[in-house]
Amino acid sequence: MHLKINHANIGYDKTLISDANADLNLGEVCLLIGNNGVGKTTLIKSILHQISLLKGEILIDNKNVKNLSVKEIAKNIAVVFSKSTIPQNYTVEDLISLGKYIYYPFYFELKNNDRAEVREIIQELDLSQYTNTLLKNLSDGNLQKAFIGRAITQNSQIIILDEPTTHLDEKNKLIILKTLRKLAKQQNKIILFSSHDWRLAKEFADKMWYIKDHHLYSGIVEDVLLQHDELTDVSLFQINDDFVAPSIDSPLIQKEMLYSLLQKNFQKDLSSFNFRLNESIWEISYHNNLYKCESFEEIVKLIPNLH
């Protein structure tokens, strides 16, 4: 199953994104980024078929979204918008449990295994102390986490989140991003989320969709970042305690991109590797052998075959 955009013009009366082409496969996390007003939310609504395309098609598992019913889209896609209506008199547990009701008539009681899953998600999102708290009494950050929990319990293959970390402090940003990446990798889901905070997001996303000048640039995160100078700023984060970095000989910004790519994808000791950027080619030395890669995508595919 995958999500695919083919030659799509996206917008309302006028085109915001022209001739968009992109795809996501199961197990991938994608960051959607762009300035305010460029069409990020419009793109999300087009995937949900809440807005019709001006041209082209969007496919889920090779099925055109315009041919899917609302219930079929809900079973395939869970979504959290940045501004969600707060159900009155609902607790955190009530809201997160709502994700299960696409599978039952609303008046049915949830099964014991469903309730156990809801409790597990509440704990993972660090919301246990707020289980029975009314939503109207939550901080903006914890309320956002509760809505994300509702999306997770829906157990859809695709989860889309519009600015999920906007109201969160650094601790809670990390909780959300780690949870989303864990979901993608362990439960084989597609996670698409928009954010302005690319410096944190690049540590957790596999791909990036960047909207600029009515165009959708898509690809592996580090490749897209290096193609757009306005996105990059040098700063290294150590998020993986099991990762041992290789030797990297390159300008600092390329070093940052390679460092984040490797620690994100390989929880292992890579100290026996040496990476050197020669013009636009990465030269990789390992056990007296030399390998050459033209992109980060090639590096990700090469390393498992060597180590």
Side-chain angles (χ1 to χ4, degrees), residues 104-131:
Y104 304 107
F106 188 76
Y107 50 82
F108 271 44
E109 285 288 329
L110 292 184
K111 296 178 181 178
N112 288 336
N113 59 328
D114 292 326
R115 295 188 182 281
E117 185 179 341
V118 168
R119 289 193 295 270
E120 183 179 334
I121 290 169
I122 288 173
Q123 183 176 5
E124 188 161 2
L125 292 173
D126 197 26
L127 289 171
S128 297
Q129 62 181 310
Y130 304 109
T131 298

Side-chain angles (χ1 to χ4, degrees), residues 198-250:
W198 68 266
R199 290 173 300 172
L200 266 180
K202 73 183 178 61
E203 308 298 340
F204 299 91
D206 303 296
K207 289 185 176 179
M208 174 179 279
W209 291 358
Y210 177 38
I211 304 173
K212 183 180 74 168
D213 298 331
H214 304 288
H215 186 78
L216 177 63
Y217 298 91
S218 65
I220 197 166
V221 169
E222 288 75 14
D223 283 331
V224 175
L225 287 174
L226 285 178
Q227 293 164 9
H228 302 277
D229 292 341
E230 70 274 12
L231 292 179
T232 54
D233 184 21
V234 176
S235 56
L236 299 179
F237 295 87
Q238 180 69 31
I239 64 164
N240 184 353
D241 294 333
D242 298 324
F243 177 73
V244 182
S247 170
I248 302 175
D249 180 11
S250 73

Side-chain angles (χ1 to χ4, degrees), residues 181 202-203 220 222 237-240 242-248 254-271 273-275 282 284 296 298-304:
R181 187 161 182 84
K202 73 183 178 61
E203 308 298 340
I220 197 166
E222 288 75 14
F237 295 87
Q238 180 69 31
I239 64 164
N240 184 353
D242 298 324
F243 177 73
V244 182
S247 170
I248 302 175
Q254 282 83 0
K255 180 178 180 179
E256 176 193 2
M257 295 301 127
L258 180 61
Y259 183 93
S260 66
L261 176 81
L262 294 174
Q263 76 157 337
K264 182 169 61 182
N265 287 282
F266 304 107
Q267 296 184 6
K268 58 182 70 175
D269 185 345
L270 297 183
S271 59
F273 285 79
N274 181 274
F275 291 79
W282 284 101
I284 304 165
F296 287 112
E298 291 182 11
I299 292 173
V300 171
K301 292 177 180 178
L302 174 67
I303 299 302

Side-chain angles (χ1 to χ4, degrees), residues 5-254:
I5 302 174
N6 283 329
H7 301 290
N9 283 3
I10 296 164
Y12 292 89
D13 297 329
K14 65 177 182 178
T15 299
L16 292 175
I17 307 170
S18 180
D19 198 33
N21 292 282
D23 63 84
L24 294 174
N25 297 309
L26 292 175
E28 291 183 332
V29 180
C30 180
L31 165 67
L32 171 61
I33 197 166
N35 292 332
N36 290 333
V38 297
K40 297 190 299 296
T41 301
T42 306
L43 172 57
I44 290 173
K45 290 183 176 180
S46 297
I47 293 172
L48 297 168
H49 196 50
Q50 294 178 358
I51 298 172
S52 297
L53 294 177
L54 302 176
K55 188 191 81 170
E57 61 182 4
I58 296 177
L59 306 174
I60 298 175
D61 199 18
N62 294 319
K63 297 175 183 176
N64 197 314
V65 296
K66 71 179 183 180
N67 297 325
L68 298 178
S69 68
V70 173
K71 188 171 184 178
E72 286 174 321
I73 290 176
K75 285 187 176 181
N76 281 292
I77 305 175
V79 62
V80 178
F81 286 108
S82 55
K83 296 180 181 179
S84 301
T85 302
I86 302 173
Q88 293 297 312
N89 301 317
Y90 271 46
T91 66
V92 168
E93 185 176 30
D94 293 335
L95 177 64
I96 294 178
S97 297
L98 275 180
K100 290 298 180 188
Y101 281 103
I102 65 167
Y103 303 102
Y104 304 107
F106 188 76
Y107 50 82
F108 271 44
E109 285 288 329
L110 292 184
K111 296 178 181 178
N112 288 336
N113 59 328
D114 292 326
R115 295 188 182 281
E117 185 179 341
V118 168
R119 289 193 295 270
E120 183 179 334
I121 290 169
I122 288 173
Q123 183 176 5
E124 188 161 2
L125 292 173
D126 197 26
L127 289 171
S128 297
Q129 62 181 310
Y130 304 109
T131 298
N132 298 310
T133 301
L134 292 175
L135 299 177
K136 62 184 180 182
N137 295 330
L138 291 177
S139 67
D140 287 343
N142 284 324
L143 181 62
Q144 181 73 337
K145 287 163 66 179
F147 274 106
I148 290 169
R150 194 266 310 152
I152 293 171
T153 58
Q154 194 169 316
N155 284 339
S156 301
Q157 289 290 77
I158 302 171
I159 300 178
I160 298 178
L161 307 104
D162 188 17
E163 303 280 359
T165 61
T166 298
H167 301 294
L168 303 182
D169 57 23
E170 294 302 304
K171 174 188 173 183
N172 284 313
K173 281 183 183 179
L174 288 172
I175 289 173
I176 291 300
L177 293 172
K178 286 181 178 180
T179 300
L180 293 176
R181 187 161 182 84
K182 179 180 176 182
L183 275 170
K185 300 307 176 183
Q186 293 187 1
Q187 298 186 25
N188 209 29
K189 295 181 183 293
I190 291 172
I191 307 291
L192 172 64
F193 69 101
S194 62
S195 176
H196 289 92
D197 193 356
W198 68 266
R199 290 173 300 172
L200 266 180
K202 73 183 178 61
E203 308 298 340
F204 299 91
D206 303 296
K207 289 185 176 179
M208 174 179 279
W209 291 358
Y210 177 38
I211 304 173
K212 183 180 74 168
D213 298 331
H214 304 288
H215 186 78
L216 177 63
Y217 298 91
S218 65
I220 197 166
V221 169
E222 288 75 14
D223 283 331
V224 175
L225 287 174
L226 285 178
Q227 293 164 9
H228 302 277
D229 292 341
E230 70 274 12
L231 292 179
T232 54
D233 184 21
V234 176
S235 56
L236 299 179
F237 295 87
Q238 180 69 31
I239 64 164
N240 184 353
D241 294 333
D242 298 324
F243 177 73
V244 182
S247 170
I248 302 175
D249 180 11
S250 73
L252 195 54
I253 186 62
Q254 282 83 0

